[in-house]
Amino acid sequence: MNNSKQTNPSVTLHEASSQYQSNTHKIKWLAKTIVTLTVSLFLFSCGSKQVENNEEEVFVSELLGKMTLEEKIGQLHQITSQWNMTGPAPEYAQGHEERLKSGLVGSMLNVIGAEATLNAQKLVVENSRLGIPLIFGYDVIHGYRTMFPVPLGEAASWDPEVVKLSASIAALESAAAGLHWTFAPMMDVGRDARWGRVMEGAGEDPYLASILSAARVRGFQGENLADQKTIAACAKHFAGYAFAESGKDYNNVDISNATLHNVILPPFKASTAAGAATYMNSFNTIQGLPASANEYIQRQLLKGDWGFDGFVVSDWNSIGEMVAHGAARDLKEAANMAINAGSDMDMEGNAYTNFLAELVEEGKVDIKIIDDAVKRVLTVKYRLGLFEDPYKYSNKEWEKNTLYSLGNKSAARKVARESIVLLKNEENKLPISKSIKSIAVVGPLADDKDAPLGNWRADAVANSAVSVLEGIKARAGKDVTINYAKGCDLVTSERNFAGEIKFNTTDRTGFAAAVAAAKKSEIVLLAIGEDCFQSGEGRSQADIRLKGLQMELFDAIYAVNPNIVIVLMNGRPVAIPELDAKAPAILETWFLGSEAGHAIADVVFGDHNPSGKLPMTFPRSNGQIPIYYNAMNTGRPGPKNEVFWSHYTDQSNAPLYPFGYGLSYTDFKYDNLAVDSSDPSAIQVSVTLQNTGAVTGTEVAQLYIRDQFASLVRPIKELKGFQKVTLKSGESKDLTFTLTEKELGFYDNEGSYKVEDGMFDVMVGTNSTDLLTETFLLTAEAVQ
Ligand code: BGC
């Protein structure tokens, strides 16, 4: 089961008929003529980059000049693949084929595979007047056929190279399957674990999310969009979507301007700087106005201040949804508001295709606005090389040799290992002792070959992942007895991208076998957590504790063998205080992708020393949500002996596991924290990190600051640097971090960036809670 909104596999485009007149020649001729002209015009006066830009500009302008209004609007119209070329089309898709042939569609989503994309492209290129190729987009969120960990899991690697590697292979496979464009990365900074889409992002911190989102963009796009192994990225969802009230998907968002600028926008800005080719806006309102109609963020900031020259696609019918929001009277008004606000392409909303021409004729939409949007779409197509060869990505042979290759799988295993977080390891339960003779592998997710693929699994083959049981068996060898029992089912419903989940709350028939397996084994690996479709779009939860009978199963096993390692699978932080209190070891493995079982075995047996750190705070309970490390101080921070301070009377303020937390099989010591502020433009922070344990290990050293006093209240901690360092047992290293005005300032409510003088705390350590602290003064002279 892959992403639901994709084409019905039985609905494929029929072979393009022999009477198609190829427009490819026309396009190539046009491209060549323009190139020659431009090169001769500019060769002597410009550098080569400028020549390229001018070639692009001249080409796009010339083409635009040939287009009718209808054809222009067509470029802004995106449709999904679900229409039937050989039988009756669903009602809403009737006429799609004719529109494609007439060049009245600019993009399709959910057409996947070399053959289907080739056929759809031919339909357009060989029939339409100008033969402008389609751009094919798809949700390639964590791999195309070879699955990598869900993005939240990858973020736990705190490693831009790892994240980039994953995106580059996803791009390679997607390109080989005829795709040009992924609707990723999602870079919504999320603080609410109830929101199911936190699984698609990089967690709660703007600094970490900025670095990782930019790395993802670089991974998808490589050095050059025209390179056949790369695809265009899409920075989404612009903006504020993760701040849906009460974590309920699509819900209202109410944020201050300072939060917008300091928390939500930084990853977008970083991704624009990294060259993100496209943007997607979001379903939510921002201060009362739907994002699709938000001129301030789309025109003023993105296309203005940030200099973004790609295009913005709406989210799925987000323009149409403005009517339901109560922001537009009808679809026509929604179209008017959205195009004027800078939403360039309408995904499945039919707002532009139905009303833009009328709006132009009525003088409500200036043709310059349409031209600008169309230019942006054509420019991205040009950069992808589609005018040179519209079919270049659609090659069945290349597709066959590329998807799910050994190399791709081995990269997936590497990324999966780096994403695992060791949450608890009492008495060094892990890695498993070399002399062990029997292991129970138990739990509803223990031999699940599908769950590790996670949600948003693109073209993954159902049940294709290496399960925990398979991974453990493969590594344990013949001398270790593996006693497997499922214990219970987690869900009773079919796995399905769009359907609600029903949990098993009654069937305990498998408990006895699980208890027996645990009883006769030295150690138990208990694989529990979430169903893979429990997180993702539309998957908000009011309760993030483990569902169904899982805790009961844990208790039953614990009663006979407390030597339990919990192998957690989940796409969001879960509230597991009881497990933390009892189980001696807990491994956070998210949904690790195709090679999950092998990666888990690598860690369980100590072939890989875990180094992942949580990119999101894990609360103790639902009631603590939203809980995040970079909160503001209140006027009553406490603690106090009486009740009048900011706290709960029935629970600690502290999370179960803080942001940045994660253990290793070795120990690290931080020492000698020092700050040199003699050059206020580049404050030097140094610390000594030592591996004081017995084995080689990798630590993510984290640096936080606190601006003690400012014109706007600042967070009690803000991540402003980290380094991932591998040290042998006993080895130590001096680490240096540099703080400049980029790290020390903040945006005010007018969106202006400022650095203010005063005292700052600098904190360095192993997570956002266990830190060494120093202070320094940023003088007034320094910030002038
Ligand atoms: C989601 C987007 C996704 C789009 C296309 C929307 O419902 O919000 O993230 O890219 O559908 O599938």
Side-chain angles (χ1 to χ4, degrees):
M1 169 58 55
N2 29 26
N3 305 346
S4 79
K5 288 180 219 150
Q6 77 175 49
T7 183
N8 172 346
S10 65
V11 179
T12 53
L13 292 161
H14 64 66
E15 278 299 323
S17 81
S18 55
Q19 47 165 314
Y20 288 156
Q21 293 295 311
S22 172
N23 272 348
T24 325
H25 303 299
K26 280 189 252 166
I27 291 173
K28 279 192 175 159
W29 174 84
L30 186 66
K32 261 198 192 137
T33 316
I34 291 165
V35 168
T36 318
L37 192 74
T38 315
V39 169
S40 45
L41 271 174
F42 292 97
L43 201 60
F44 299 108
S45 55
C46 310
S48 71
K49 189 75 198 161
Q50 203 178 340
V51 171
E52 267 172 38
N53 288 345
N54 284 324
E55 285 168 8
E56 173 187 293
E57 224 175 290
V58 173
F59 178 84
V60 168
S61 302
E62 288 261 345
L63 186 51
L64 189 75
K66 293 183 165 46
M67 294 169 77
T68 63
L69 178 60
E70 215 190 1
E71 284 166 342
K72 287 177 184 175
I73 293 167
Q75 287 304 305
L76 311 181
H77 180 42
Q78 187 188 50
I79 58 172
T80 189
S81 69
Q82 284 164 339
W83 85 103
N84 198 332
M85 309 301 290
T86 50
E91 205 182 321
Y92 82 95
Q94 276 167 21
H96 275 178
E97 182 173 350
E98 274 322 301
R99 273 191 286 275
L100 283 162
K101 283 185 178 169
S102 310
L104 301 182
V105 177
S107 171
M108 294 188 76
L109 70 156
N110 302 330
V111 183
I112 60 167
E115 189 173 4
T117 51
L118 181 72
N119 291 337
Q121 194 70 295
K122 275 187 171 176
L123 202 63
V124 173
V125 170
E126 299 187 356
N127 289 283
S128 62
R129 194 175 72 89
L130 294 168
I132 300 171
L134 292 167
I135 174 170
F136 294 113
Y138 194 49
D139 290 287
V140 181
I141 307 298
H142 56 110
Y144 177 76
R145 178 74 59 78
T146 309
M147 281 298 114
F148 286 76
V150 294
L152 186 66
E154 279 185 3
S157 71
W158 288 53
D159 193 331
E161 284 312 311
V162 160
V163 161
K164 188 172 160 209
L165 172 69
S166 157
S168 70
I169 288 169
L172 175 71
E173 290 197 347
S174 306
L179 293 167
H180 310 136
W181 178 27
T182 174
F183 303 130
M186 184 191 100
M187 52 197 70
D188 296 295
V189 170
R191 294 169 163 178
D192 196 323
R194 292 168 297 185
W195 191 57
R197 301 198 78 170
V198 293
M199 156 240 152
E200 298 169 50
E204 75 189 33
D205 181 66
Y207 182 87
L208 180 63
S210 298
I211 289 176
L212 298 184
S213 303
R216 279 200 173 109
V217 168
R218 292 194 182 98
F220 286 129
Q221 298 193 166
E223 295 296 314
N224 177 6
L225 266 191
D227 180 338
Q228 210 154 327
K229 294 177 178 162
T230 64
I231 57 174
C234 182
K236 77 182 187 186
H237 303 85
F238 198 55
Y241 184 28
F243 275 68
E245 276 176 2
S246 61
K248 193 164 63 180
D249 210 359
Y250 319 117
N251 205 8
N252 186 44
V253 167
D254 199 359
I255 40 164
S256 71
N257 248 336
T259 299
L260 177 70
H261 283 277
N262 290 309
V263 182
I264 294 169
L265 294 182
F268 288 100
K269 210 171 171 187
S271 299
T272 308
T278 73
Y279 261 64
M280 183 186 292
N281 61 32
S282 55
F283 292 123
N284 55 283
T285 56
I286 304 168
Q287 293 161 6
L289 196 62
S292 310
N294 200 305
E295 203 175 330
Y296 171 62
I297 64 165
Q298 297 189 131
R299 282 211 188 280
Q300 194 174 320
L301 285 181
L302 176 62
K303 295 178 179 175
D305 298 356
W306 301 357
F308 171 71
D309 63 358
F311 68 87
V312 179
V313 65
S314 78
D315 202 346
W316 184 285
N317 190 34
S318 65
I319 298 175
E321 289 183 8
M322 282 162 57
V323 178
H325 272 297
R329 194 184 322 267
D330 51 28
L331 195 57
K332 182 171 171 184
E333 192 176 16
N336 187 12
M337 289 165 76
I339 192 79
N340 278 309
S343 302
D344 300 309
M345 186 183 276
D346 176 10
M347 181 193 286
E348 268 293 305
N350 291 320
Y352 287 0
T353 196
N354 288 343
F355 297 109
L356 277 191
E358 245 174 86
L359 288 162
V360 172
E361 275 150 32
E362 289 166 10
K364 291 192 175 132
V365 174
D366 193 324
I367 187 69
K368 285 193 195 131
I369 297 270
I370 306 277
D371 284 351
D372 175 64
V374 176
K375 260 188 179 175
R376 289 170 177 276
V377 173
L378 297 178
T379 300
V380 172
K381 290 183 176 181
Y382 182 94
R383 289 178 185 167
L384 283 161
L386 293 175
F387 290 108
E388 272 293 307
D389 179 359
Y391 307 119
K392 72 177 200 184
Y393 295 82
S394 304
N395 177 327
K396 275 167 80 174
E397 196 53 31
W398 180 38
E399 179 181 45
K400 202 172 116 215
N401 296 333
T402 304
L403 301 192
Y404 216 52
S405 71
L406 277 179
N408 297 356
K409 282 195 278 183
S410 113
R413 181 168 177 171
K414 173 182 161 52
V415 175
R417 280 196 305 242
E418 297 289 336
S419 305
I420 294 174
V421 186
L422 180 62
L423 293 177
K424 190 174 176 195
N425 197 20
E426 226 170 58
E427 294 163 18
N428 296 329
K429 285 284 171 225
L430 289 174
I432 274 180
S433 146
K434 298 244 177 314
S435 59
I436 208 138
K437 289 281 168 285
S438 59
I439 306 173
V441 181
V442 178
L445 300 172
D447 196 25
D448 192 329
K449 290 175 62 56
D450 195 64
L453 301 173
N455 200 341
W456 289 116
R457 54 178 61 184
D459 195 42
V461 175
N463 294 306
S464 61
V466 178
S467 73
V468 178
L469 179 63
E470 287 172 328
I472 296 295
K473 272 187 173 164
R475 174 60 178 79
K478 287 194 204 81
D479 298 339
V480 185
T481 306
I482 307 291
N483 297 309
Y484 166 71
K486 190 177 197 179
C488 63
D489 282 320
L490 172 54
V491 299
T492 55
S493 48
E494 285 281 300
R495 273 201 181 128
N496 179 335
F497 180 75
E500 294 286 353
I501 298 175
K502 289 196 180 67
F503 295 97
N504 169 29
T505 53
T506 51
D507 183 0
R508 297 174 178 81
T509 48
F511 271 37
V515 168
K519 225 173 182 170
K520 63 182 176 198
S521 306
E522 287 164 73
I523 194 163
V524 185
L525 299 187
L526 178 60
I528 50 179
E530 292 192 310
D531 182 72
C532 51
F533 286 107
Q534 230 173 297
S535 52
E537 186 176 354
R539 304 291 185 178
S540 295
Q541 284 188 188
D543 186 353
I544 61 161
R545 291 174 300 172
L546 299 194
K547 300 284 193 205
L549 300 173
Q550 298 185 101
M551 289 308 296
E552 243 183 76
L553 179 66
F554 167 76
D555 287 336
I557 291 170
Y558 187 78
V560 296
N561 187 350
N563 205 19
I564 302 180
V565 175
I566 303 291
V567 178
L568 269 184
M569 285 188 205
N570 44 297
R572 59 153 64 76
V574 282
I576 48 163
E578 299 84 1
L579 289 180
D580 180 67
K582 290 182 181 168
I586 306 177
L587 267 187
E588 173 56 78
T589 76
W590 317 102
F591 296 114
L592 285 180
S594 303
E595 292 288 294
H598 289 321
I600 291 167
D602 289 340
V603 168
V604 165
F605 287 94
D607 302 332
H608 177 83
N609 187 350
S611 59
K613 301 276 187 174
L614 294 179
M616 250 187 117
T617 305
F618 274 43
R620 288 172 194 278
S621 67
N622 298 307
Q624 284 189 323
I625 303 172
I627 182 169
Y628 48 97
Y629 86 93
N630 48 355
M632 308 291 179
N633 226 4
T634 66
R636 297 191 179 191
K640 285 186 176 163
N641 289 332
E642 52 185 25
V643 295
F644 304 112
W645 63 287
S646 182
H647 74 305
Y648 300 107
T649 54
D650 57 352
Q651 192 164 75
S652 148
N653 277 355
L656 188 60
Y657 306 117
F659 173 80
Y661 175 82
L663 304 172
S664 163
Y665 293 155
T666 191
D667 297 306
F668 293 99
K669 186 173 162 225
Y670 287 80
D671 219 344
N672 307 323
L673 177 63
V675 184
D676 176 356
S677 57
S678 52
D679 175 3
S681 66
I683 289 161
Q684 302 298 312
V685 181
S686 56
V687 74
T688 307
L689 176 65
Q690 189 184 7
N691 179 346
T692 53
V695 293
T696 299
T698 300
E699 166 75 332
V700 180
Q702 301 159 39
L703 177 143
Y704 299 83
I705 62 159
R706 177 177 183 185
D707 185 348
Q708 289 187 1
F709 164 81
S711 54
L712 281 185
V713 172
R714 305 301 307 134
I716 48 176
K717 273 166 206 165
E718 289 181 275
L719 182 72
K720 291 295 176 185
F722 60 89
Q723 292 180 32
K724 199 168 171 179
V725 188
T726 300
L727 295 176
K728 293 194 186 102
S729 167
E731 197 185 350
S732 63
K733 192 174 176 188
D734 292 331
L735 310 180
T736 311
F737 299 84
T738 304
L739 295 172
T740 66
E741 61 169 35
K742 208 170 139 235
E743 287 79 29
L744 297 173
F746 62 91
Y747 289 92
D748 63 17
N749 271 312
E750 278 67 54
S752 306
Y753 190 74
K754 41 170 74 169
V755 184
E756 293 180 349
D757 61 310
M759 292 302 289
F760 283 76
D761 295 336
V762 182
M763 297 154 270
V764 180
T766 185
N767 61 54
S768 63
T769 301
D770 301 315
L771 298 159
L772 302 176
T773 306
E774 275 292 328
T775 51
F776 71 90
L777 175 71
L778 195 65
T779 59
E781 299 78 62
V783 298
Q784 272 164 10

